[in-house]
Coordinates of all heavy atoms in Angstrom, one line a residue:
M918 N -5.9 -0.2 17.0 CA -6.2 -0.3 15.6 C -5.1 0.3 14.7 O -4.6 1.4 15.1 CB -7.5 0.4 15.3 CG -8.8 -0.5 15.5 SD -10.3 0.4 15.5 CE -10.7 0.5 13.8
P919 N -4.8 -0.3 13.6 CA -3.9 0.4 12.7 C -4.4 1.7 12.2 O -5.6 1.9 12.1 CB -3.7 -0.6 11.5 CG -4.3 -1.9 12.0 CD -5.3 -1.6 13.1
R920 N -3.5 2.6 11.8 CA -3.9 3.9 11.3 C -3.2 4.1 9.9 O -2.0 3.8 9.8 CB -3.5 4.9 12.3 CG -3.9 6.3 11.9 CD -3.7 7.3 13.1 NE -4.3 8.6 12.8 CZ -3.6 9.6 12.3 NH1 -2.3 9.5 12.0 NH2 -4.2 10.8 12.1
I921 N -3.9 4.5 8.9 CA -3.4 4.8 7.6 C -3.4 6.3 7.4 O -4.3 7.0 7.8 CB -4.1 4.1 6.5 CG1 -3.5 4.3 5.1 CG2 -5.6 4.5 6.5 CD1 -2.3 3.6 4.9
V922 N -2.3 6.8 6.8 CA -2.2 8.2 6.4 C -1.8 8.2 4.9 O -0.9 7.5 4.5 CB -1.2 9.0 7.2 CG1 -1.1 10.5 6.7 CG2 -1.5 9.0 8.7
I923 N -2.6 8.9 4.1 CA -2.3 8.9 2.7 C -1.9 10.3 2.3 O -2.6 11.3 2.5 CB -3.6 8.6 1.8 CG1 -4.3 7.4 2.3 CG2 -3.3 8.5 0.3 CD1 -3.8 6.1 1.8
L924 N -0.7 10.4 1.7 CA -0.1 11.6 1.2 C -0.3 11.6 -0.4 O -0.4 10.5 -0.9 CB 1.3 11.8 1.5 CG 1.7 11.7 3.0 CD1 3.2 11.8 3.2 CD2 1.0 12.8 3.8
P925 N -0.4 12.7 -1.1 CA -0.2 14.1 -0.5 C -1.5 14.7 0.0 O -1.5 15.8 0.6 CB 0.2 14.9 -1.7 CG -0.4 14.2 -2.9 CD -0.5 12.7 -2.5
A926 N -2.6 13.9 0.0 CA -3.9 14.5 0.4 C -3.9 14.7 2.0 O -4.7 15.5 2.5 CB -5.1 13.5 0.1
N927 N -3.0 13.9 2.6 CA -2.9 13.9 4.1 C -4.2 13.6 4.8 O -4.7 14.2 5.7 CB -2.4 15.3 4.6 CG -1.8 15.3 6.0 OD1 -1.4 14.2 6.4 ND2 -1.9 16.4 6.7
R928 N -4.9 12.5 4.2 CA -6.1 12.0 4.8 C -5.7 10.8 5.7 O -4.8 10.0 5.3 CB -7.1 11.6 3.7 CG -7.4 12.7 2.7 CD -8.4 13.7 3.3 NE -9.6 13.2 3.9 CZ -10.7 13.1 3.2 NH1 -10.8 13.6 2.0 NH2 -11.8 12.6 3.7
A929 N -6.4 10.6 6.8 CA -6.1 9.5 7.7 C -7.4 8.8 8.1 O -8.5 9.3 8.1 CB -5.4 10.1 8.9
A930 N -7.2 7.5 8.5 CA -8.3 6.7 9.1 C -7.7 5.6 9.9 O -6.6 5.1 9.7 CB -9.1 6.1 8.0
E931 N -8.5 5.2 10.9 CA -8.2 4.0 11.7 C -9.0 2.9 11.1 O -10.1 3.0 10.7 CB -8.6 4.2 13.1 CG -7.7 5.2 13.9 CD -7.8 5.1 15.4 OE1 -8.8 4.5 15.9 OE2 -6.9 5.5 16.1
V932 N -8.3 1.7 10.9 CA -8.9 0.6 10.2 C -8.7 -0.7 11.0 O -7.8 -0.7 11.8 CB -8.4 0.4 8.8 CG1 -8.7 1.6 7.9 CG2 -6.9 0.2 8.8
P933 N -9.5 -1.7 10.8 CA -9.3 -2.9 11.6 C -8.0 -3.6 11.2 O -7.6 -3.5 10.0 CB -10.5 -3.8 11.1 CG -11.4 -2.9 10.4 CD -10.7 -1.7 10.0
A934 N -7.4 -4.3 12.1 CA -6.2 -5.0 11.8 C -6.5 -6.0 10.7 O -7.5 -6.7 10.7 CB -5.7 -5.8 13.1
G935 N -5.6 -6.1 9.7 CA -5.8 -7.1 8.6 C -6.5 -6.4 7.4 O -6.7 -7.1 6.4
E936 N -6.8 -5.1 7.5 CA -7.4 -4.4 6.4 C -6.4 -4.3 5.2 O -5.2 -4.0 5.5 CB -7.9 -3.0 6.9 CG -8.7 -2.3 5.8 CD -10.1 -2.8 5.7 OE1 -10.2 -3.9 5.1 OE2 -11.0 -2.1 6.1
L937 N -6.9 -4.5 4.0 CA -6.1 -4.3 2.9 C -5.7 -2.8 2.8 O -6.6 -1.9 3.1 CB -6.9 -4.6 1.6 CG -6.8 -6.1 1.1 CD1 -7.7 -6.2 -0.2 CD2 -5.3 -6.5 0.8
L938 N -4.6 -2.5 2.3 CA -4.1 -1.1 2.1 C -5.1 -0.3 1.2 O -5.4 0.8 1.4 CB -2.7 -1.1 1.6 CG -2.0 0.2 1.5 CD1 -2.1 1.0 2.8 CD2 -0.5 0.0 1.2
L939 N -5.5 -1.0 0.2 CA -6.5 -0.4 -0.8 C -7.8 0.0 -0.1 O -8.3 1.2 -0.3 CB -6.8 -1.4 -1.9 CG -7.3 -0.9 -3.2 CD1 -6.4 0.1 -3.9 CD2 -7.6 -2.0 -4.1
A940 N -8.3 -0.8 0.8 CA -9.5 -0.5 1.5 C -9.3 0.5 2.6 O -10.2 1.3 2.8 CB -10.1 -1.8 2.1
A941 N -8.1 0.5 3.1 CA -7.7 1.5 4.2 C -7.7 2.9 3.5 O -8.2 3.9 4.1 CB -6.4 1.2 4.8
G942 N -7.2 3.0 2.3 CA -7.2 4.2 1.6 C -8.6 4.7 1.4 O -8.9 5.9 1.6
E943 N -9.5 3.8 1.0 CA -10.9 4.2 0.8 C -11.5 4.7 2.1 O -12.2 5.7 2.1 CB -11.7 2.9 0.4 CG -12.7 3.2 -0.7 CD -13.2 1.8 -1.3 OE1 -14.1 1.3 -0.7 OE2 -12.6 1.3 -2.2
A944 N -11.2 4.0 3.2 CA -11.7 4.5 4.5 C -11.2 5.9 4.9 O -11.9 6.6 5.6 CB -11.2 3.5 5.6
A945 N -10.0 6.2 4.3 CA -9.5 7.6 4.6 C -10.0 8.6 3.6 O -9.7 9.8 3.6 CB -8.0 7.5 4.5
G946 N -10.9 8.1 2.7 CA -11.5 9.0 1.7 C -10.7 9.2 0.4 O -10.9 10.2 -0.3
V947 N -9.7 8.3 0.2 CA -8.8 8.5 -1.0 C -9.0 7.2 -1.8 O -8.8 6.1 -1.3 CB -7.3 8.6 -0.5 CG1 -6.5 8.7 -1.8 CG2 -7.2 9.9 0.3
E948 N -9.3 7.4 -3.1 CA -9.4 6.3 -4.0 C -8.0 6.0 -4.6 O -7.5 6.8 -5.4 CB -10.4 6.5 -5.1 CG -10.8 5.3 -5.8 CD -12.0 5.5 -6.7 OE1 -12.8 6.4 -6.5 OE2 -12.0 4.8 -7.8
L949 N -7.4 5.0 -4.2 CA -6.1 4.6 -4.7 C -6.3 3.9 -6.1 O -7.2 3.1 -6.2 CB -5.3 3.7 -3.8 CG -5.0 4.3 -2.4 CD1 -4.4 3.3 -1.5 CD2 -4.0 5.5 -2.6
E950 N -5.5 4.3 -7.0 CA -5.6 3.7 -8.4 C -5.3 2.2 -8.3 O -4.4 1.7 -7.6 CB -4.7 4.4 -9.4 CG -5.1 4.0 -10.8 CD -4.3 4.9 -11.8 OE1 -3.9 6.0 -11.4 OE2 -4.0 4.4 -12.9
A951 N -6.2 1.4 -9.0 CA -6.0 0.0 -9.0 C -6.5 -0.6 -10.3 O -7.4 0.0 -11.0 CB -6.7 -0.7 -7.8
G952 N -6.0 -1.7 -10.7 CA -6.4 -2.4 -12.0 C -7.0 -3.8 -11.7 O -8.2 -4.0 -11.7
C953 N -6.1 -4.7 -11.5 CA -6.5 -6.1 -11.4 C -7.1 -6.5 -10.0 O -7.8 -7.5 -9.9 CB -5.3 -7.0 -11.7 SG -4.0 -6.9 -10.3
F954 N -6.8 -5.8 -9.0 CA -7.2 -6.1 -7.6 C -6.7 -7.5 -7.2 O -7.3 -8.2 -6.4 CB -8.7 -6.0 -7.4 CG -9.2 -4.6 -7.7 CD1 -9.7 -4.3 -8.9 CD2 -9.3 -3.7 -6.6 CE1 -10.2 -3.0 -9.2 CE2 -9.8 -2.4 -6.9 CZ -10.2 -2.1 -8.1
N955 N -5.6 -8.0 -7.9 CA -5.2 -9.3 -7.7 C -3.7 -9.5 -7.6 O -3.2 -10.6 -7.9 CB -5.8 -10.2 -8.9 CG -5.7 -11.6 -8.7 OD1 -5.7 -12.1 -7.5 ND2 -5.5 -12.4 -9.8
C956 N -3.0 -8.5 -7.3 CA -1.6 -8.6 -7.1 C -0.8 -9.0 -8.3 O 0.2 -9.8 -8.2 CB -1.3 -9.5 -5.9 SG 0.3 -9.2 -5.1
S957 N -1.3 -8.5 -9.5 CA -0.5 -9.0 -10.7 C -0.2 -7.9 -11.7 O 0.6 -8.1 -12.5 CB -1.3 -10.1 -11.4 OG -2.5 -9.7 -11.8
C958 N -0.8 -6.7 -11.6 CA -0.6 -5.7 -12.6 C 0.3 -4.5 -12.2 O 1.0 -3.9 -13.0 CB -1.9 -5.1 -13.1 SG -2.7 -3.9 -12.0
G959 N 0.4 -4.2 -10.9 CA 1.3 -3.2 -10.4 C 0.7 -1.8 -10.5 O 1.3 -0.8 -10.0
T960 N -0.5 -1.6 -10.9 CA -1.2 -0.3 -11.0 C -1.3 0.4 -9.6 O -1.2 1.6 -9.5 CB -2.6 -0.4 -11.6 OG1 -2.5 -1.1 -12.8 CG2 -3.2 0.9 -11.8
C961 N -1.5 -0.4 -8.6 CA -1.8 0.1 -7.3 C -0.5 0.4 -6.4 O -0.7 0.6 -5.2 CB -2.7 -0.9 -6.5 SG -1.8 -2.5 -6.2
V962 N 0.6 0.5 -7.1 CA 1.8 0.7 -6.3 C 1.8 2.0 -5.6 O 1.3 3.1 -6.1 CB 3.1 0.6 -7.3 CG1 3.1 1.8 -8.2 CG2 4.4 0.6 -6.5
V963 N 2.2 2.0 -4.3 CA 2.3 3.2 -3.5 C 3.7 3.2 -2.8 O 4.3 2.2 -2.5 CB 1.2 3.3 -2.4 CG1 -0.1 3.5 -3.0 CG2 1.3 2.1 -1.5
E964 N 4.2 4.4 -2.5 CA 5.4 4.5 -1.7 C 5.1 4.5 -0.3 O 4.2 5.2 0.2 CB 6.1 5.9 -2.1 CG 7.4 6.1 -1.3 CD 8.0 7.4 -1.6 OE1 7.5 8.2 -2.4 OE2 9.1 7.6 -1.0
V965 N 5.8 3.7 0.5 CA 5.6 3.7 1.9 C 6.6 4.6 2.6 O 7.8 4.4 2.5 CB 5.7 2.2 2.5 CG1 5.6 2.2 4.0 CG2 4.8 1.3 1.8
V966 N 6.1 5.7 3.1 CA 6.9 6.8 3.7 C 7.4 6.3 5.1 O 8.6 6.6 5.4 CB 6.2 8.1 3.7 CG1 7.0 9.2 4.4 CG2 5.7 8.5 2.3
S967 N 6.5 5.7 5.8 CA 6.9 5.2 7.1 C 6.0 4.1 7.5 O 4.9 4.0 7.0 CB 7.0 6.3 8.2 OG 5.7 6.8 8.4
G968 N 6.4 3.2 8.4 CA 5.6 2.2 9.0 C 5.6 0.9 8.2 O 4.8 0.1 8.3
M969 N 6.7 0.7 7.4 CA 6.8 -0.5 6.6 C 6.6 -1.8 7.4 O 6.0 -2.8 7.0 CB 8.1 -0.5 5.8 CG 8.3 -1.7 4.9 SD 7.1 -1.8 3.5 CE 8.0 -0.9 2.2
S970 N 7.2 -1.7 8.6 CA 7.2 -2.9 9.5 C 5.8 -3.2 10.1 O 5.5 -4.2 10.7 CB 8.2 -2.8 10.6 OG 7.9 -1.6 11.4
N971 N 4.9 -2.2 9.9 CA 3.5 -2.4 10.3 C 2.6 -3.1 9.3 O 1.4 -3.3 9.5 CB 2.9 -1.1 10.7 CG 3.6 -0.5 11.9 OD1 4.1 -1.2 12.7 ND2 3.6 0.8 12.0
L972 N 3.3 -3.4 8.1 CA 2.6 -4.1 7.0 C 3.0 -5.6 7.0 O 4.1 -5.9 7.4 CB 2.9 -3.4 5.7 CG 2.4 -2.0 5.5 CD1 3.1 -1.4 4.3 CD2 0.9 -1.9 5.4
D973 N 2.2 -6.4 6.4 CA 2.6 -7.8 6.1 C 3.9 -7.8 5.2 O 4.0 -6.9 4.4 CB 1.5 -8.5 5.4 CG 0.5 -9.1 6.3 OD1 0.7 -9.1 7.6 OD2 -0.6 -9.5 5.8
A974 N 4.7 -8.8 5.4 CA 5.8 -8.9 4.5 C 5.3 -9.3 3.1 O 4.3 -9.9 3.0 CB 6.8 -10.0 5.0
P975 N 6.0 -8.8 2.0 CA 5.5 -9.1 0.7 C 5.6 -10.6 0.3 O 6.5 -11.3 0.7 CB 6.5 -8.3 -0.2 CG 7.7 -8.0 0.6 CD 7.2 -8.0 2.1
T976 N 4.6 -11.0 -0.4 CA 4.6 -12.4 -1.0 C 5.6 -12.4 -2.2 O 6.0 -11.4 -2.7 CB 3.2 -12.8 -1.4 OG1 2.8 -11.9 -2.5 CG2 2.2 -12.8 -0.3
A977 N 5.9 -13.6 -2.6 CA 6.8 -13.8 -3.8 C 6.1 -13.2 -5.0 O 6.7 -12.6 -5.8 CB 7.0 -15.3 -4.0
E978 N 4.8 -13.3 -5.0 CA 4.0 -12.7 -6.1 C 4.1 -11.2 -6.2 O 4.4 -10.6 -7.2 CB 2.5 -13.1 -5.9 CG 1.6 -13.0 -7.1 CD 0.2 -13.4 -6.7 OE1 -0.1 -13.4 -5.5 OE2 -0.6 -13.7 -7.6
E979 N 4.0 -10.6 -5.0 CA 4.1 -9.1 -5.0 C 5.5 -8.7 -5.3 O 5.7 -7.7 -6.1 CB 3.7 -8.6 -3.6 CG 3.7 -7.1 -3.5 CD 3.4 -6.5 -2.1 OE1 3.1 -7.3 -1.2 OE2 3.5 -5.3 -1.9
L980 N 6.5 -9.4 -4.8 CA 7.9 -9.0 -5.1 C 8.2 -9.1 -6.6 O 8.9 -8.3 -7.1 CB 8.9 -10.0 -4.3 CG 9.0 -9.8 -2.8 CD1 9.8 -10.9 -2.2 CD2 9.6 -8.4 -2.5
E981 N 7.6 -10.1 -7.2 CA 7.8 -10.3 -8.7 C 7.2 -9.1 -9.5 O 7.9 -8.5 -10.4 CB 7.1 -11.6 -9.1 CG 7.6 -12.0 -10.5 CD 6.9 -13.4 -10.8 OE1 7.0 -14.3 -10.0 OE2 6.3 -13.5 -11.9
V982 N 6.0 -8.6 -9.1 CA 5.4 -7.5 -9.8 C 6.2 -6.2 -9.5 O 6.5 -5.4 -10.4 CB 3.9 -7.3 -9.3 CG1 3.3 -6.1 -10.0 CG2 3.1 -8.5 -9.7
L983 N 6.6 -6.0 -8.3 CA 7.4 -4.8 -7.9 C 8.7 -4.8 -8.7 O 9.2 -3.8 -9.2 CB 7.7 -4.8 -6.4 CG 6.5 -4.4 -5.5 CD1 6.8 -4.7 -4.1 CD2 6.1 -2.9 -5.7
D984 N 9.3 -6.0 -8.9 CA 10.5 -6.1 -9.7 C 10.3 -5.7 -11.1 O 11.1 -5.0 -11.7 CB 11.1 -7.5 -9.5 CG 12.4 -7.7 -10.2 OD1 13.3 -6.9 -9.8 OD2 12.6 -8.5 -11.1
Q985 N 9.2 -6.1 -11.7 CA 8.9 -5.8 -13.1 C 8.8 -4.3 -13.3 O 9.1 -3.8 -14.3 CB 7.5 -6.4 -13.5 CG 7.6 -7.9 -13.8 CD 6.2 -8.6 -13.9 OE1 5.2 -7.9 -14.0 NE2 6.2 -9.9 -13.8
W986 N 8.3 -3.6 -12.2 CA 8.2 -2.1 -12.3 C 9.4 -1.4 -11.8 O 9.4 -0.2 -11.6 CB 6.9 -1.7 -11.5 CG 5.6 -2.0 -12.2 CD1 5.1 -3.3 -12.4 CD2 4.7 -1.1 -12.7 NE1 3.9 -3.1 -13.0 CE2 3.6 -1.8 -13.2 CE3 4.7 0.3 -12.8 CZ2 2.5 -1.2 -13.8 CZ3 3.6 0.9 -13.4 CH2 2.6 0.2 -13.9
N987 N 10.5 -2.2 -11.5 CA 11.7 -1.6 -10.9 C 11.4 -0.8 -9.7 O 12.0 0.3 -9.5 CB 12.4 -0.7 -11.9 CG 13.1 -1.5 -13.0 OD1 13.6 -2.6 -12.7 ND2 13.0 -1.0 -14.2
K988 N 10.6 -1.3 -8.8 CA 10.2 -0.6 -7.5 C 10.9 -1.4 -6.4 O 10.7 -2.6 -6.3 CB 8.7 -0.6 -7.3 CG 8.0 0.3 -8.4 CD 8.3 1.7 -8.2 CE 7.5 2.6 -9.1 NZ 7.9 4.0 -9.1
D989 N 11.6 -0.7 -5.6 CA 12.3 -1.3 -4.4 C 11.3 -1.7 -3.4 O 10.5 -0.9 -2.9 CB 13.3 -0.3 -3.9 CG 14.0 -0.7 -2.7 OD1 13.7 -1.9 -2.2 OD2 14.9 0.0 -2.2
P990 N 11.2 -3.0 -3.1 CA 10.2 -3.5 -2.1 C 10.4 -2.9 -0.7 O 9.5 -3.0 0.2 CB 10.3 -5.0 -2.1 CG 11.6 -5.3 -2.7 CD 12.0 -4.1 -3.6
D991 N 11.6 -2.3 -0.4 CA 11.8 -1.7 0.9 C 11.1 -0.3 0.9 O 11.0 0.3 2.0 CB 13.3 -1.5 1.1 CG 14.0 -2.8 1.4 OD1 13.3 -3.8 1.8 OD2 15.2 -2.9 1.2
R992 N 10.7 0.2 -0.2 CA 10.0 1.5 -0.3 C 8.6 1.5 -0.9 O 7.9 2.4 -0.7 CB 10.9 2.5 -1.1 CG 12.0 3.2 -0.3 CD 12.7 4.2 -1.1 NE 11.8 5.3 -1.6 CZ 12.0 6.0 -2.7 NH1 13.1 5.8 -3.4 NH2 11.2 6.9 -3.1
Y993 N 8.4 0.5 -1.7 CA 7.1 0.5 -2.5 C 6.4 -0.8 -2.2 O 7.0 -1.9 -2.0 CB 7.4 0.6 -4.0 CG 7.9 2.0 -4.4 CD1 9.3 2.2 -4.4 CD2 7.0 3.0 -4.7 CE1 9.8 3.4 -4.8 CE2 7.5 4.3 -5.0 CZ 8.9 4.5 -5.1 OH 9.4 5.7 -5.4
R994 N 5.0 -0.7 -2.2 CA 4.2 -1.9 -2.0 C 3.0 -1.7 -2.9 O 2.6 -0.7 -3.4 CB 3.7 -2.0 -0.5 CG 4.8 -2.1 0.5 CD 5.7 -3.4 0.3 NE 4.9 -4.6 0.4 CZ 4.7 -5.3 1.5 NH1 5.1 -4.8 2.7 NH2 3.9 -6.4 1.5
L995 N 2.3 -2.9 -3.1 CA 1.1 -2.9 -3.9 C -0.1 -2.9 -3.0 O -0.3 -3.8 -2.2 CB 1.1 -4.2 -4.8 CG 2.3 -4.3 -5.8 CD1 2.2 -5.6 -6.5 CD2 2.3 -3.1 -6.7
A996 N -0.9 -1.8 -3.1 CA -2.0 -1.6 -2.2 C -3.1 -2.7 -2.2 O -3.8 -2.9 -1.2 CB -2.6 -0.2 -2.5
C997 N -3.2 -3.4 -3.3 CA -4.2 -4.5 -3.3 C -3.7 -5.8 -2.7 O -4.5 -6.7 -2.6 CB -4.7 -4.7 -4.7 SG -3.6 -5.7 -5.8
C998 N -2.4 -5.8 -2.4 CA -1.9 -7.1 -1.9 C -1.5 -7.1 -0.4 O -1.4 -8.2 0.1 CB -0.5 -7.4 -2.6 SG -0.6 -7.2 -4.4
V999 N -1.4 -6.0 0.2 CA -0.8 -5.9 1.5 C -1.8 -5.4 2.5 O -2.6 -4.6 2.3 CB 0.5 -5.0 1.5 CG1 0.2 -3.6 1.1 CG2 1.2 -5.1 2.8
R1000 N -1.7 -6.0 3.7 CA -2.6 -5.7 4.8 C -1.9 -5.0 6.0 O -0.7 -5.3 6.2 CB -3.2 -7.0 5.3 CG -4.1 -7.7 4.3 CD -4.7 -9.0 4.8 NE -5.4 -9.6 3.7 CZ -6.7 -9.3 3.3 NH1 -7.4 -8.4 4.0 NH2 -7.2 -9.9 2.3
L1001 N -2.6 -4.1 6.6 CA -2.1 -3.4 7.8 C -2.2 -4.3 9.0 O -3.3 -4.9 9.2 CB -2.8 -2.1 8.0 CG -2.6 -1.0 7.0 CD1 -3.6 -1.1 5.9 CD2 -2.7 0.4 7.7
R1002 N -1.2 -4.4 9.8 CA -1.3 -5.2 11.0 C -1.4 -4.4 12.3 O -2.2 -4.7 13.2 CB 0.0 -6.1 11.1 CG 0.0 -7.2 10.0 CD -1.3 -8.0 10.2 NE -1.5 -8.9 9.1 CZ -2.6 -9.5 8.8 NH1 -3.6 -9.4 9.6 NH2 -2.7 -10.3 7.8
H1003 N -0.6 -3.3 12.4 CA -0.7 -2.5 13.6 C 0.0 -1.2 13.4 O 0.7 -1.0 12.4 CB -0.1 -3.2 14.8 CG 1.2 -3.9 14.5 ND1 2.4 -3.2 14.3 CD2 1.5 -5.2 14.2 CE1 3.3 -4.0 14.0 NE2 2.8 -5.3 13.9
G1004 N -0.2 -0.2 14.3 CA 0.6 1.0 14.3 C 0.1 1.9 13.1 O -0.9 1.7 12.5
E1005 N 1.0 2.9 12.8 CA 0.7 3.8 11.8 C 1.5 3.6 10.5 O 2.7 3.2 10.6 CB 1.0 5.3 12.3 CG 0.6 6.3 11.2 CD 0.8 7.7 11.7 OE1 -0.1 8.3 12.4 OE2 1.9 8.3 11.6
V1006 N 0.8 3.7 9.4 CA 1.5 3.5 8.1 C 1.2 4.8 7.3 O 0.0 5.1 7.1 CB 1.0 2.2 7.3 CG1 1.7 2.1 6.0 CG2 1.3 1.0 8.2
V1007 N 2.3 5.4 6.8 CA 2.1 6.6 5.9 C 2.5 6.2 4.5 O 3.6 5.7 4.3 CB 3.0 7.7 6.4 CG1 2.8 9.0 5.5 CG2 2.6 8.1 7.9
V1008 N 1.6 6.4 3.5 CA 2.0 6.1 2.1 C 1.7 7.3 1.3 O 0.9 8.2 1.6 CB 1.1 4.9 1.6 CG1 1.3 3.7 2.4 CG2 -0.3 5.3 1.5
R1009 N 2.5 7.3 0.2 CA 2.3 8.4 -0.8 C 1.8 7.8 -2.1 O 2.4 6.9 -2.6 CB 3.6 9.1 -1.0 CG 3.5 10.4 -1.9 CD 4.9 10.9 -2.2 NE 5.7 11.1 -1.0 CZ 5.6 12.2 -0.2 NH1 4.7 13.1 -0.5 NH2 6.4 12.3 0.9
Q1010 N 0.7 8.4 -2.6 CA 0.2 7.9 -3.9 C 1.2 8.2 -5.0 O 1.8 9.2 -5.1 CB -1.1 8.7 -4.2 CG -2.3 8.2 -3.5 CD -3.5 9.0 -4.0 OE1 -3.7 10.2 -3.6 NE2 -4.4 8.4 -4.8
S1011 N 1.3 7.2 -5.9 CA 2.3 7.3 -7.0 C 1.6 7.9 -8.2 O 2.3 8.3 -9.1 CB 2.9 6.0 -7.3 OG 3.5 5.4 -6.2
H1012 N 0.3 7.8 -8.3 CA -0.4 8.3 -9.5 C -1.2 9.6 -9.2 O -1.6 9.8 -8.1 CB -1.4 7.2 -10.0 CG -0.7 5.9 -10.2 ND1 0.1 5.7 -11.3 CD2 -0.6 4.8 -9.5 CE1 0.6 4.5 -11.3 NE2 0.2 3.9 -10.2
Ligands
FES1208 S1 -4.4 -3.5 -8.7 FE1 -3.1 -4.8 -9.9 S2 -1.5 -5.3 -8.6 FE2 -2.8 -4.1 -7.3

């Protein structure tokens, strides 16, 4: 099962493969900030500290929103858009 670690709280949880990052945060006991829940506002941006390759690749829609916020998609992802596939992913809350 994939594992999520949320910094700076350092809370962790194991979640089913395919779980949304936003829901994985909730499973770890951390409410990640979100607005649209629809991959369009950018409120839910988080920094991926490690495990980027354990996440789905970004969609064109996600890349567009990250670009609007000047966030490098190699370091930042939108928690409402991306799903965990395997292994450990460590993210840092931006808000
Ligand atoms: S909550 Fe709006 S992009 Fe994620």
Side-chain angles (χ1 to χ4, degrees):
M918 271 168 88
R920 183 169 189 268
I921 182 76
V922 179
I923 311 275
L924 302 177
N927 202 23
R928 302 288 303 265
E931 289 195 341
V932 296
E936 185 74 289
L937 270 178
L938 189 47
L939 199 60
E943 221 169 86
V947 178
E948 198 174 325
L949 297 172
E950 194 171 330
C953 68
F954 299 93
N955 192 30
C956 205
S957 59
C958 74
T960 307
C961 64
V962 68
V963 293
E964 180 183 359
V965 179
V966 177
S967 65
M969 183 66 92
S970 62
N971 295 332
L972 296 169
D973 277 347
T976 61
E978 196 179 21
E979 185 183 355
L980 287 173
E981 196 176 310
V982 176
L983 287 168
D984 186 55
Q985 282 167 15
W986 286 68
N987 287 322
K988 295 292 187 186
D989 179 354
D991 289 338
R992 272 187 60 204
Y993 292 91
R994 300 298 301 271
L995 299 177
C997 80
C998 310
V999 63
R1000 295 178 186 277
L1001 288 91
R1002 288 302 167 195
H1003 44 75
E1005 183 175 271
V1006 178
V1007 180
V1008 302
R1009 186 184 310 278
Q1010 280 182 286
S1011 301
H1012 303 284

